[in-house]
Coordinates of all heavy atoms in Angstrom, one line a residue:
A1 N 55.7 20.1 68.5 CA 54.9 20.1 69.6 C 55.4 19.0 70.6 O 55.5 19.0 71.8 CB 53.4 19.8 69.3
L2 N 55.9 17.9 70.0 CA 56.6 16.8 70.7 C 57.8 17.3 71.5 O 57.9 17.1 72.8 CB 57.0 15.7 69.8 CG 57.8 14.5 70.4 CD1 57.0 13.8 71.5 CD2 58.3 13.6 69.4
K3 N 58.6 18.0 70.8 CA 59.8 18.6 71.5 C 59.4 19.6 72.6 O 60.1 19.6 73.6 CB 60.7 19.3 70.6 CG 61.3 18.3 69.5 CD 62.2 19.1 68.4 CE 62.6 18.1 67.3 NZ 63.5 18.9 66.4
L4 N 58.3 20.4 72.3 CA 57.9 21.3 73.3 C 57.4 20.6 74.6 O 57.6 21.1 75.7 CB 56.9 22.2 72.7 CG 56.3 23.4 73.6 CD1 57.3 24.4 73.7 CD2 55.1 23.9 72.8
G5 N 56.7 19.5 74.4 CA 56.1 18.9 75.5 C 56.9 18.0 76.3 O 56.9 17.9 77.5
V6 N 57.9 17.2 75.6 CA 58.7 16.3 76.2 C 60.0 16.9 76.7 O 60.4 16.7 77.9 CB 59.0 15.0 75.3 CG1 59.9 14.1 76.0 CG2 57.7 14.5 74.9
N7 N 60.6 17.7 75.9 CA 62.0 18.3 76.3 C 61.8 19.3 77.5 O 62.8 19.5 78.2 CB 62.6 19.0 75.1 CG 63.1 18.0 74.1 OD1 63.4 16.8 74.5 ND2 63.4 18.5 72.9
S8 N 60.6 19.8 77.6 CA 60.4 20.8 78.7 C 60.2 20.1 80.1 O 60.2 20.7 81.2 CB 59.3 21.7 78.4 OG 58.0 20.9 78.3
D9 N 60.0 18.8 80.0 CA 59.8 18.0 81.3 C 61.0 17.0 81.4 O 61.1 16.1 80.7 CB 58.5 17.2 81.2 CG 58.0 16.6 82.5 OD1 58.9 16.4 83.5 OD2 56.8 16.4 82.7
A10 N 61.8 17.3 82.4 CA 63.1 16.4 82.6 C 62.7 14.9 82.9 O 63.5 14.1 82.6 CB 63.9 17.0 83.7
N11 N 61.6 14.8 83.5 CA 61.2 13.4 83.9 C 60.9 12.6 82.6 O 61.1 11.3 82.7 CB 60.0 13.4 84.7 CG 60.3 14.1 86.1 OD1 61.3 13.8 86.6 ND2 59.4 14.9 86.7
W12 N 60.3 13.1 81.6 CA 59.9 12.4 80.4 C 61.0 12.5 79.3 O 60.8 11.9 78.2 CB 58.6 12.9 79.9 CG 57.4 12.5 80.8 CD1 56.8 13.3 81.6 CD2 56.9 11.1 81.1 NE1 55.8 12.5 82.4 CE2 55.9 11.3 82.0 CE3 57.2 9.9 80.5 CZ2 55.2 10.2 82.5 CZ3 56.5 8.7 81.0 CH2 55.4 9.0 81.9
R13 N 61.9 13.4 79.4 CA 62.9 13.7 78.4 C 63.6 12.5 77.9 O 63.8 12.3 76.6 CB 63.9 14.8 78.7 CG 64.7 15.4 77.7 CD 65.6 16.4 78.2 NE 64.8 17.5 78.9 CZ 65.4 18.3 79.7 NH1 66.7 18.2 80.1 NH2 64.6 19.2 80.4
P14 N 63.9 11.4 78.7 CA 64.7 10.3 78.1 C 63.8 9.4 77.3 O 64.4 8.5 76.6 CB 65.1 9.6 79.4 CG 65.1 10.6 80.5 CD 64.0 11.5 80.1
Y15 N 62.5 9.6 77.3 CA 61.6 8.7 76.5 C 61.0 9.4 75.3 O 59.9 9.1 74.8 CB 60.6 8.2 77.4 CG 61.0 7.7 78.7 CD1 60.9 8.4 79.9 CD2 61.8 6.5 78.8 CE1 61.4 7.9 81.1 CE2 62.3 6.0 80.0 CZ 62.1 6.7 81.0 OH 62.6 6.2 82.3
I16 N 61.7 10.4 74.7 CA 61.3 11.1 73.6 C 61.3 10.2 72.3 O 60.4 10.4 71.4 CB 62.1 12.3 73.3 CG1 61.5 13.2 72.3 CG2 63.5 11.9 72.7 CD1 62.0 14.6 72.1
I17 N 62.0 9.2 72.3 CA 62.1 8.3 71.1 C 60.6 7.6 71.0 O 60.2 7.4 69.8 CB 63.1 7.2 71.3 CG1 63.2 6.4 70.0 CG2 62.9 6.4 72.4 CD1 63.6 7.1 68.7
E18 N 60.0 7.3 72.1 CA 58.6 6.7 72.0 C 57.6 7.8 71.4 O 56.8 7.3 70.6 CB 58.1 6.2 73.4 CG 58.8 4.9 73.9 CD 60.1 5.2 74.6 OE1 60.7 6.3 74.4 OE2 60.7 4.3 75.2
G19 N 57.8 9.0 71.7 CA 57.0 10.0 71.2 C 57.2 10.1 69.6 O 56.3 10.3 68.9
Y20 N 58.5 10.0 69.2 CA 58.7 10.0 67.8 C 58.0 8.8 67.1 O 57.6 8.9 65.9 CB 60.2 10.0 67.5 CG 60.9 11.4 67.7 CD1 61.9 11.7 68.5 CD2 60.5 12.4 66.8 CE1 62.5 12.9 68.7 CE2 61.0 13.8 66.9 CZ 62.0 13.9 67.8 OH 62.6 15.2 68.0
F21 N 58.0 7.7 67.7 CA 57.3 6.5 67.1 C 55.8 6.7 67.0 O 55.2 6.5 66.0 CB 57.6 5.3 68.0 CG 58.8 4.5 67.7 CD1 59.8 4.3 68.7 CD2 59.2 4.0 66.5 CE1 61.0 3.8 68.4 CE2 60.3 3.4 66.2 CZ 61.2 3.3 67.2
F22 N 55.2 7.6 67.9 CA 53.9 7.8 67.9 C 53.6 8.8 66.8 O 52.6 8.7 65.9 CB 53.5 8.5 69.2 CG 52.1 9.0 69.2 CD1 50.9 8.2 69.0 CD2 51.8 10.3 69.4 CE1 49.6 8.6 69.1 CE2 50.6 10.8 69.4 CZ 49.5 10.0 69.3
I23 N 54.5 9.8 66.5 CA 54.3 10.8 65.4 C 54.6 10.1 64.1 O 53.8 10.3 63.1 CB 55.3 12.0 65.6 CG1 54.9 12.8 66.8 CG2 55.4 12.8 64.3 CD1 55.8 14.0 67.1
A24 N 55.6 9.2 64.1 CA 55.8 8.4 62.8 C 54.6 7.6 62.5 O 54.3 7.5 61.2 CB 57.0 7.5 63.0
L25 N 53.9 7.0 63.4 CA 52.6 6.3 63.1 C 51.6 7.2 62.5 O 50.9 6.9 61.5 CB 52.1 5.6 64.3 CG 50.8 4.9 64.2 CD1 51.0 3.7 63.2 CD2 50.3 4.3 65.6
I26 N 51.5 8.4 62.9 CA 50.5 9.3 62.4 C 50.9 9.8 60.9 O 50.0 9.8 60.1 CB 50.4 10.7 63.3 CG1 49.9 10.3 64.7 CG2 49.5 11.7 62.6 CD1 49.9 11.5 65.7
Y27 N 52.1 10.0 60.7 CA 52.6 10.4 59.3 C 52.4 9.2 58.4 O 52.0 9.4 57.3 CB 54.0 10.8 59.4 CG 54.3 12.2 59.7 CD1 54.8 12.7 60.9 CD2 54.0 13.3 58.8 CE1 55.0 14.0 61.2 CE2 54.3 14.5 59.1 CZ 54.7 15.0 60.3 OH 54.9 16.2 60.6
F28 N 52.7 8.0 59.0 CA 52.5 6.8 58.1 C 51.1 6.6 57.6 O 50.8 6.3 56.6 CB 52.9 5.6 58.8 CG 52.8 4.3 58.0 CD1 53.6 3.9 57.0 CD2 51.7 3.5 58.4 CE1 53.4 2.8 56.4 CE2 51.5 2.3 57.7 CZ 52.3 1.9 56.7
V29 N 50.1 6.8 58.7 CA 48.7 6.7 58.3 C 48.3 7.6 57.2 O 47.6 7.1 56.2 CB 47.8 6.8 59.5 CG1 46.4 6.9 59.2 CG2 48.1 5.7 60.6
F30 N 48.6 8.8 57.3 CA 48.3 9.8 56.3 C 49.0 9.6 55.0 O 48.4 9.6 53.8 CB 48.7 11.2 56.7 CG 47.5 11.8 57.7 CD1 47.7 11.6 59.1 CD2 46.4 12.5 57.2 CE1 46.7 12.1 60.0 CE2 45.5 13.0 58.0 CZ 45.6 12.9 59.4
C31 N 50.3 9.3 55.0 CA 51.1 9.1 53.8 C 50.7 7.7 53.1 O 50.5 7.7 51.8 CB 52.6 9.1 54.0 SG 53.2 10.7 54.6
F32 N 50.4 6.7 53.8 CA 50.0 5.5 53.2 C 48.5 5.7 52.6 O 48.3 5.0 51.5 CB 49.9 4.4 54.2 CG 49.6 3.0 53.7 CD1 50.5 2.3 53.0 CD2 48.3 2.5 54.0 CE1 50.1 1.1 52.5 CE2 47.9 1.2 53.5 CZ 48.8 0.5 52.7
S33 N 47.7 6.4 53.2 CA 46.4 6.6 52.7 C 46.5 7.3 51.4 O 45.8 7.1 50.4 CB 45.5 7.5 53.7 OG 45.4 6.7 54.9
M34 N 47.3 8.4 51.3 CA 47.5 9.1 50.0 C 48.1 8.2 49.0 O 47.7 8.2 47.8 CB 48.4 10.3 50.3 CG 47.8 11.4 51.0 SD 48.7 13.0 51.1 CE 49.9 12.6 52.3
S35 N 49.0 7.3 49.3 CA 49.6 6.4 48.4 C 48.6 5.4 47.8 O 48.5 5.2 46.5 CB 50.8 5.6 49.1 OG 51.2 4.7 48.1
R36 N 47.7 4.9 48.6 CA 46.7 4.0 48.2 C 45.7 4.8 47.3 O 45.2 4.1 46.3 CB 46.0 3.3 49.4 CG 46.8 2.4 50.3 CD 47.6 1.4 49.5 NE 46.7 0.6 48.8 CZ 47.2 -0.5 48.0 NH1 48.4 -0.7 47.8 NH2 46.3 -1.3 47.5
Y37 N 45.4 6.0 47.7 CA 44.5 6.7 46.9 C 45.1 7.0 45.5 O 44.3 6.9 44.5 CB 44.1 8.0 47.5 CG 43.2 8.9 46.7 CD1 41.8 8.6 46.6 CD2 43.6 10.2 46.1 CE1 41.0 9.4 45.8 CE2 42.8 10.9 45.4 CZ 41.5 10.5 45.3 OH 40.6 11.3 44.6
S38 N 46.4 7.2 45.5 CA 47.0 7.4 44.2 C 46.9 6.3 43.3 O 46.7 6.2 42.0 CB 48.5 7.7 44.4 OG 49.2 7.7 43.2
R39 N 47.1 5.0 43.9 CA 46.9 3.7 43.1 C 45.5 3.6 42.6 O 45.3 3.2 41.4 CB 47.1 2.5 44.1 CG 48.6 2.4 44.5 CD 49.5 1.9 43.4 NE 49.1 0.6 43.0 CZ 49.5 -0.5 43.5 NH1 50.4 -0.5 44.6 NH2 49.2 -1.6 43.0
W40 N 44.5 4.0 43.3 CA 43.1 4.0 42.9 C 42.9 5.0 41.6 O 42.3 4.6 40.7 CB 42.1 4.3 44.0 CG 40.8 4.3 43.6 CD1 39.9 3.3 43.5 CD2 39.9 5.5 43.3 NE1 38.6 3.7 43.0 CE2 38.7 5.0 43.0 CE3 40.2 6.8 43.2 CZ2 37.6 5.9 42.6 CZ3 39.2 7.7 42.9 CH2 37.9 7.3 42.5
V41 N 43.5 6.1 41.8 CA 43.3 7.1 40.7 C 44.0 6.6 39.5 O 43.5 6.7 38.4 CB 43.9 8.4 41.1 CG1 44.0 9.4 40.0 CG2 43.1 9.1 42.2
E42 N 45.2 5.9 39.7 CA 45.9 5.4 38.5 C 44.9 4.3 37.8 O 44.9 4.3 36.5 CB 47.1 4.7 38.9 CG 48.3 5.7 39.2 CD 49.5 5.1 39.6 OE1 50.2 4.5 38.6 OE2 50.0 5.1 40.7
K43 N 44.4 3.4 38.5 CA 43.5 2.4 37.9 C 42.3 3.1 37.2 O 41.9 2.6 36.1 CB 43.0 1.5 39.0 CG 44.1 0.7 39.6 CD 43.5 -0.4 40.6 CE 44.6 -1.2 41.3 NZ 44.1 -2.1 42.3

């Protein structure tokens, strides 16, 4: 969806790296939450 939205707009295409940082933050929140839950289950 990021590529679809940013690459289709030539005005915002040079700033797709900021969009990837935004997506990376979303992935990090979910993956970090799963990792902490795994630690709790281990305990």
Side-chain angles (χ1 to χ4, degrees):
L2 172 66
K3 296 178 183 178
L4 182 68
V6 178
N7 286 340
S8 61
D9 192 338
N11 295 321
W12 292 106
R13 194 178 302 162
Y15 311 107
I16 193 173
I17 185 65
E18 285 84 347
Y20 278 119
F21 277 118
F22 176 64
I23 290 177
L25 177 62
I26 296 176
Y27 275 105
F28 175 79
V29 169
F30 279 93
C31 294
F32 182 75
S33 301
M34 286 189 282
S35 177
R36 299 306 300 177
Y37 180 70
S38 173
R39 294 286 299 273
W40 177 80
V41 173
E42 286 184 71
K43 292 180 180 179

